[in-house]
Amino acid sequence: MTLEEVKKEIRDIPDFPSKGILFKDLTTVFKNPQSMEYLTNILVDMYKDKKITKVIGIESRGFIFGAILAHKLHAGFVPVRKKGKLPASCFELDYKLEYGTATLEIHKDALNNNDTILIHDDLLATGGTLCAAIELTKMMGVKNIYANTIVELEFLHGKEAMDDVVVYNSLIRF
Ligand code: AMP
C-alpha cells in the first residue's frame, strides 16, 4: 500500500456542509482495514521515539486516529470538544470559522506542564481549529507540542498561522 493509494480513496463531496466547500470525506478510508493499518503504522513510526505522554484528539473526526495513536504510543487520550460537551471545569477558546466563530474546550486538569503532547485531527484546512487546540494546551503550560493531521489542504496555508514551537506533520496533501 502507498499514501497515493490512500489519497485516491478519499471521497470528494461538493457543497458540503455548505455551498462552495469541497468536503474531503475520510470515511471511505476509515472503512478499509488495510488503509487504517497502513496509516497507523506510519504514524506510530513517526512518533514512537518522541516520548509522547498524551494524545489530544479534536472532536470529532480527530478522536478516531487520536485514540488509536494514544493506545499504540502507550500515552493517555485527551479530548478537545466543542463548547458545552465536556462535564468538568474547562479552559475555553473562541476561534474563527469561515463564517462566524466557534469555541473549543479542554478539561482544566487534562494536562500538565511536563506533558509531551501530540494533537491530532483528520484534516487541516484554514488551521483555525488546530491553532485553537494548540493555544488551549499552551494555557496549561505545555511546551513540547507535536501536531498532526492525515490530510492537509495546502492551498489554504493553514500551517502558516501555527506557532513555531509546534512540530507539525501531515501525510496526504491536496
Ligand atoms: P480549519 O479550522 O479550517 O483548519 O478546519 C479544520 C476542521 O474542519 C477539521 O476538523 C476538519 O475535519 C474540518 N474541515 C474543514 N474543511 C474541510 C474539508 N474541506 N473537508 C473535510 N473536513 C474539513
Side-chain angles (χ1 to χ4, degrees), residues 76-140:
F77 177 79
V78 171
V80 162
R81 300 202 64 181
K82 285 154 197 156
K83 192 176 171 67
K85 305 279 188 184
L86 287 170
S89 182
C90 287
F91 288 115
E92 63 172 69
L93 197 78
D94 297 330
Y95 67 105
K96 267 197 212 137
L97 293 172
E98 233 170 328
Y99 301 102
T101 63
T103 306
L104 284 181
E105 291 188 332
I106 190 168
H107 275 150
K108 278 186 177 165
D109 60 359
L111 301 172
N112 60 64
N113 55 10
N114 313 317
D115 276 314
T116 297
I117 64 167
L118 170 61
I119 306 178
H120 172 79
D121 202 0
D122 66 330
L123 181 141
L124 185 82
T126 64
T129 308
L130 192 55
C131 286
I134 290 166
E135 286 309 309
L136 278 174
T137 64
K138 283 169 61 188
M139 284 178 187
M140 297 152 108

Side-chain angles (χ1 to χ4, degrees), residues 27-168:
T27 62
T28 44
V29 176
F30 297 152
K31 75 174 182 184
N32 180 349
Q34 281 83 30
S35 303
M36 291 296 274
E37 174 131 18
Y38 176 70
L39 293 177
T40 301
N41 289 341
I42 293 177
L43 289 168
V44 170
D45 263 2
M46 273 169 99
Y47 296 107
K48 64 176 191 275
D49 299 324
K50 307 293 188 207
K51 300 189 169 63
I52 305 289
T53 55
K54 306 255 174 64
V55 177
I56 319 301
I58 302 179
E59 182 175 358
S60 58
R61 287 179 291 270
F63 290 172
I64 297 165
F65 270 102
I68 293 172
L69 286 175
H71 174 64
K72 294 276 188 188
L73 296 170
H74 311 290
F77 177 79
V78 171
V80 162
R81 300 202 64 181
K82 285 154 197 156
K83 192 176 171 67
K85 305 279 188 184
L86 287 170
S89 182
C90 287
F91 288 115
E92 63 172 69
L93 197 78
D94 297 330
Y95 67 105
K96 267 197 212 137
L97 293 172
E98 233 170 328
Y99 301 102
T101 63
T103 306
L104 284 181
E105 291 188 332
I106 190 168
H107 275 150
K108 278 186 177 165
D109 60 359
L111 301 172
N112 60 64
N113 55 10
N114 313 317
D115 276 314
T116 297
I117 64 167
L118 170 61
I119 306 178
H120 172 79
D121 202 0
D122 66 330
L123 181 141
L124 185 82
T126 64
T129 308
L130 192 55
C131 286
I134 290 166
E135 286 309 309
L136 278 174
T137 64
K138 283 169 61 188
M139 284 178 187
M140 297 152 108
V142 179
K143 288 177 258 343
N144 300 318
I145 306 175
Y146 294 87
N148 163 272
T149 59
I150 306 290
V151 175
E152 177 183 355
L153 303 184
E154 281 188 304
F155 57 91
L156 293 173
H157 305 289
K159 219 161 42 179
E160 286 165 23
M162 220 174 287
D163 191 310
D164 284 346
V165 302
V166 178
V167 183
Y168 170 76

